[in-house]
Every structure is written in structure tokens, then in C-alpha cells.
Amino acid sequence: MTNDISLSFFGAAGTVTGSRYLLEFSNRRVLVDCGLFQGYKHLRERNWRDFPVDPASIEAVFLTHAHLDHSGYLPRLVQNGFNGTVFCTKATRDLCKILLLDAAKLQEEEAAYRNRHHYSRHEPALPLYTQADAKAALALFETVGFSDPDNPQPGVSLGDLSVSFHANGHILGSSFLDVQVAGRHILFSGDMGRGNDLIMRAPELPVYCDYLVIESTYGNRLHDNRDIWDETAKIINETIAAGGSILIPTFAVGRAQAMLYLITELRNRKMIPYLPIFLDSPMAISVTEVMQRHYRYHRLNKARCQQLSRDVTFTRTVEESIALNNLHMPAIILSASGMATGGRVLHHLNRMLGDHRNTVMFAGYQASGTRGARLVTGEKRIKIFGSYQDVRARIESLDFLSAHADRMELLRWLQQMPTAPKRCFVTHGEEAASDQFRIALNEDLGWAACVPEMGEKVTL
Ligand SMILES: [Zn+2]
């Protein structure tokens, strides 16, 4: 039937990364999200496989938000022939500029390192993509405004396809998408934020849909409901009393800015003593600047947003970062990456993990297989830069700072949907999380739901 619409799940199916959903209708193809697989090696290797359809045959990509597991495969798609348009919000584009170029630079550096050390099965080792590929991808971006009840603008209209973007509170510029094809509505949740985030505004209400693609990162878990302010102050005060410092591995986009706000507020409110705060991540610094530019999209007013640059020392250069090794007083260092899989935070971990006076405070989701997940589950020896390091520092996981809605928050949001969708597809979760959220949709809401498999194609 020519009227058929098919939806294929090329990522984030039974796992949390690699979001890529292909819609096919009337001989047309569009992609919702174009993410990198991250975490375990067998997942990362998927980034090297051929894309299941010819990238040149895809006319557009719609991005829910800038995180690399939703946008980081774009340069590779472009390298392999995609030449359509990438639609997203302004803030998503500004963040992608930072993230995609940085990801490309890391890929190039890693390939060069492997070649220098003949440390590759493939000679020569190649980057997944280059900075030139990232620039070519960024040249295809076109921005779209948010739709909301006061401003129900149509978003993008391409023949019998239209897509509108609705703020969903996860990070700056993030959205859920209402995709309308041939009279049918498909809602893609993207990564759902929360009602009471420190910085992001609450998600917009869900709109009517026939089909729902819903994330389930925390589909089987509830966030800790301890008081964010008291609990964080308590950990910091205990660490300072012991003469230690606090290291916060943080995601450069989103959590770094929420943590900066939280910690500078604690200091301003005198809930913790005066101590220096460093943001040691060039990317998180650039993202903080994007946030300061887009202050209308979040809860902090312009003045409070600008104040972050005065309250915190930004260490952009390598020399400034190395100088932090010689601090002789308690301090708070925020550094990326958030799951301690790479970046400057590894140098700080290497130096700080062995000392029982220090605290390492994780502030977001830790995917299985990452160093962050190992530390949070209490492993006592961790490999960094090729050798094992004893873990004597205190490890804390502040999951109440998560940028993802938990199981209850997701269900509560969905209950506000005008009518039940015909079918729900539960994605973007590890197996147990997705499956238990599917059961919750079935049993608590009485909705038809399934967990699609990687590569599965369904007809809508
Ligand atoms: Zn995300």
C-alpha cells in the first residue's frame, strides 16, 4: 500500500545510545536523531558498520537534542553521502557546533595515537570522521522555533510531512517531536527532562499522537528524593572537614551548568564555606557561554547566568589544568567526561582516587561498562591510563541531579496525553529498564507497548 508508513529502529533499541529512527513513506526517507553508539566496545563498533540504507536517499534529519548519542553520527552520515537538511532548535545547533567538532577532533587524535604506537588492527587507523566532515554536517543545519500552546507554529513542513518541536526540559534546546505524516501523528519523546530541574523549565505537556516512541533510561528506577541542597552541602562539608577536595565528573552539556549553579548557590547561601570552584573542561566552558546567550530557554535570569563566570574559575588551557595538581587547599573541581570515559577528569581521578580524604561526586546517568558505573558500584581498583589505581576516595552518586525523568515522572507526563496512543515503542533504555517500563505502560496505563529490537521495522 502506498499509504504505508514504516518506522525502523537503528539504535537505542535495548540500549541507551545510538538513537536513530528511520521513517519511510511515499518513497521518502527521514531520520529522527542520528546518534553515536557509546559505552561497551561491541556497541561502539556499530558506529563503523554501513548505515542500513543509503544515506544519500535520506532527505532530512530531525534532532531532538545535541547530546552525542542523538547527534554524534551525523558527520559519518554526511561522509557517506547524506546531503539533506538537518532540522533542530537554535540552541541545539549552537551546542552541536561545539560537540561535533570536539568529537571529530578526538577521533582524529585517537587515530593519530594508534598510528604512532602501531596500536590498531587496521593500518593505518582512521578516524570515524574528521573535523572537515563535522563542518560539512554543520553546514546542513537549519533552525526551527519551539511550538507551545501560546505559539502553535507549524515547525517544518515538507509536503505531507510536518514536524513541530516542543521543549521537553532535558537540556538547552531539547525537544520532543510531533511528526505528522499522511494524517498520522508520531511523537518522539527524545530524552525527557523533569518538572523540577535546577536550570531547565518543566517539559511542555504531551500532544495527541497515534504512535509514541518513548525513552526509558530510568524506566525501572525512581530518583532519590533527598533534598538536593542539604545533601550536597553535607557531602562537601564532610569532605572539607577531612581536609579533602571534591571532584565532580560531569557531562559538559547540561549537568555541568546545573552543578555550577547548585554549588555557587550553596556558597552564596553560606551552606558551605568559601572555597575555590574550578570548571576544568574547555567544552563545558563553551557550553556555559551558550547557556548565557540563550537565557530565555531556561530558569536562570540573565544576571544570575552571567554571574557564573565571576563565581567560578574557568581553566581552559592545559597549563591552567595542570596547575590544579598543585593546589594546597580544599577545592571543588568540575571536569568532563561525566562517566569518566575520557577527558581531563581522568588526570584528576588518577591523582585524587588514592586519597581517602577526597570525594568523587557523580552527577548523572552512568552507562554500564563505563568507569563511572564501576566506581559507583563500589569497585576498589580501577584502570586509568593503562594501570590500576586503588580507590580510597569516597564515591557518591547524586542521582537526584539527573537530567532524565524517572519512571514515575515519565508515567505522570504521559498520563496528561489527551488520548491513549494506538501503540507505544519503548526505546533508549538498558534491557531491564525498557522492559519494565513497557510493563508499566501495559498495566498502569493500559496502553499497548513493545520494546523494539535493533534493526526492527514496523508498519504504522
Ligand atoms: Zn540526552
Side-chain angles (χ1 to χ4, degrees):
M1 275 191 355
T2 52
N3 215 7
D4 275 358
I5 304 170
S6 75
L7 171 61
S8 302
F9 299 88
F10 291 143
T15 179
V16 282
T17 62
S19 284
R20 304 169 187 177
Y21 309 116
L22 184 77
L23 274 169
E24 294 172 286
F25 54 97
S26 324
N27 293 319
R28 297 172 64 186
R29 286 179 170 148
V30 299
L31 197 60
V32 172
D33 281 342
C34 188
L36 270 187
F37 287 101
Q38 297 169 310
Y40 285 122
K41 195 170 179 201
H42 70 271
L43 285 172
R44 283 182 281 128
E45 279 173 349
R46 286 178 179 274
N47 294 320
W48 290 90
R49 294 192 193 159
D50 285 341
F51 197 75
V53 300
D54 178 7
S57 69
I58 300 171
E59 66 178 82
V61 177
F62 299 91
L63 294 182
T64 60
H65 67 294
H67 277 150
L68 285 179
D69 60 323
H70 295 257
S71 75
Y73 187 75
L74 271 174
R76 179 76 174 181
L77 198 74
V78 170
Q79 186 195 82
N80 290 333
F82 171 70
N83 192 31
T85 308
V86 179
F87 294 100
C88 63
T89 63
K90 278 202 184 78
T92 297
R93 181 209 46 201
D94 289 356
L95 293 174
C96 279
K97 271 188 196 160
I98 299 168
L99 285 169
L100 296 182
L101 287 170
D102 181 79
K105 195 164 149 259
L106 286 178
Q107 300 274 357
E108 288 180 14
E109 285 169 0
E110 196 184 316
Y113 178 86
R114 284 170 182 266
N115 288 328
R116 262 200 317 279
H117 297 271
H118 303 285
Y119 173 54
S120 172
R121 278 179 290 154
H122 312 283
E123 290 278 350
L126 295 172
L128 183 66
Y129 50 76
T130 63
Q131 295 178 71
D133 296 323
K135 283 180 188 152
L138 289 163
L140 302 175
F141 276 51
E142 215 170 278
T143 62
V144 188
F146 280 117
S147 299
D148 59 54
D150 299 329
N151 184 22
Q153 55 175 315
V156 183
S157 225
L158 303 167
D160 56 357
L161 167 79
S162 68
V163 180
S164 56
F165 291 68
H166 306 255
N168 73 352
H170 172 59
I171 60 166
L172 207 62
S174 72
S175 342
F176 68 83
L177 305 183
D178 173 17
V179 178
Q180 295 183 46
V181 192
R184 273 159 279 188
H185 288 254
I186 309 149
L187 191 158
F188 292 87
S189 72
D191 288 0
M192 285 304 301
R194 313 173 62 192
N196 57 353
D197 190 85
L198 286 172
I199 288 190
M200 295 308 299
R201 295 208 183 99
E204 293 284 339
L205 292 179
V207 296
Y208 168 87
C209 69
D210 300 294
Y211 300 95
L212 168 71
V213 179
I214 179 81
E215 72 124 325
S216 57
T217 315
Y218 283 90
N220 58 346
R221 280 193 279 166
L222 298 179
H223 292 313
D224 196 323
N225 58 9
R226 288 177 297 173
D227 184 90
I228 288 183
W229 303 93
D230 289 347
E231 199 59 34
T232 313
K234 181 167 168 272
I235 296 167
I236 293 173
N237 286 326
E238 286 170 1
T239 307
I240 297 169
S245 285
I246 297 106
L247 174 63
I248 307 178
T250 180
F251 301 92
V253 184
R255 288 311 83 190
Q257 291 72 36
M259 286 305 295
L260 280 183
Y261 172 65
L262 172 65
I263 288 167
T264 54
E265 266 309 288
L266 287 174
R267 203 177 63 177
N268 296 343
R269 296 181 193 180
K270 305 207 173 356
M271 291 173 74
I272 58 172
Y274 184 87
L275 78 176
I277 302 169
F278 297 94
L279 180 59
D280 185 27
S281 155
M283 204 203 300
I285 294 169
S286 301
V287 171
T288 305
E289 289 161 358
V290 173
M291 182 180 101
Q292 289 168 329
R293 237 182 4 256
H294 289 289
Y295 60 88
R296 284 189 185 83
Y297 290 175
H298 55 73
R299 291 185 199 268
L300 308 190
N301 63 32
K302 192 176 180 184
R304 181 62 185 91
C305 218
Q306 302 298 348
Q307 199 191 324
L308 287 177
S309 314
R310 293 191 290 276
D311 287 348
V312 176
T313 307
F314 291 170
T315 50
R316 218 184 254 277
T317 66
V318 174
E319 293 72 28
E320 288 168 331
S321 175
I322 292 172
L324 297 180
N325 297 342
N326 303 319
L327 280 178
H328 293 294
M329 57 163 99
I332 300 179
I333 300 172
L334 290 92
S335 188
S337 73
M339 302 191 207
T341 49
R344 288 185 182 177
V345 77
L346 293 185
H347 294 277
H348 297 300
L349 274 177
N350 204 27
R351 182 170 55 85
M352 293 172 70
L353 271 182
D355 187 335
H356 68 275
R357 296 172 301 175
N358 295 328
T359 297
V360 181
M361 220 155 72
F362 287 92
Y365 186 77
Q366 303 298 317
S368 302
T370 60
R371 215 177 264 111
R374 294 207 168 97
L375 284 167
V376 166
T377 51
E379 285 193 23
K380 290 290 168 215
R381 277 163 73 74
I382 291 288
K383 205 173 182 182
I384 302 176
F385 300 132
S387 55
Y388 280 95
Q389 170 73 259
D390 287 326
V391 181
R392 295 196 192 90
R394 170 175 175 184
I395 308 292
E396 288 284 343
S397 171
L398 304 186
D399 99 326
F400 44 69
L401 279 167
S402 168
H404 283 271
D406 69 12
R407 172 193 175 92
M408 271 316 296
E409 291 165 331
L410 283 174
L411 286 172
R412 243 182 272 137
W413 184 73
L414 290 172
Q415 275 168 331
Q416 302 176 78
M417 212 163 241
T419 54
K422 285 192 190 75
R423 227 157 123 202
C424 308
F425 303 99
V426 182
T427 61
H428 200 289
E430 287 180 1
E431 264 172 53
S434 293
D435 200 52
Q436 288 186 39
F437 196 67
R438 172 190 66 82
I439 294 170
L441 287 175
N442 286 158
E443 294 181 355
D444 298 0
L445 304 187
W447 293 4
C450 64
V451 179
E453 283 181 25
M454 191 83 82
E456 189 172 334
K457 181 176 185 172
V458 295
T459 302
L460 307 182

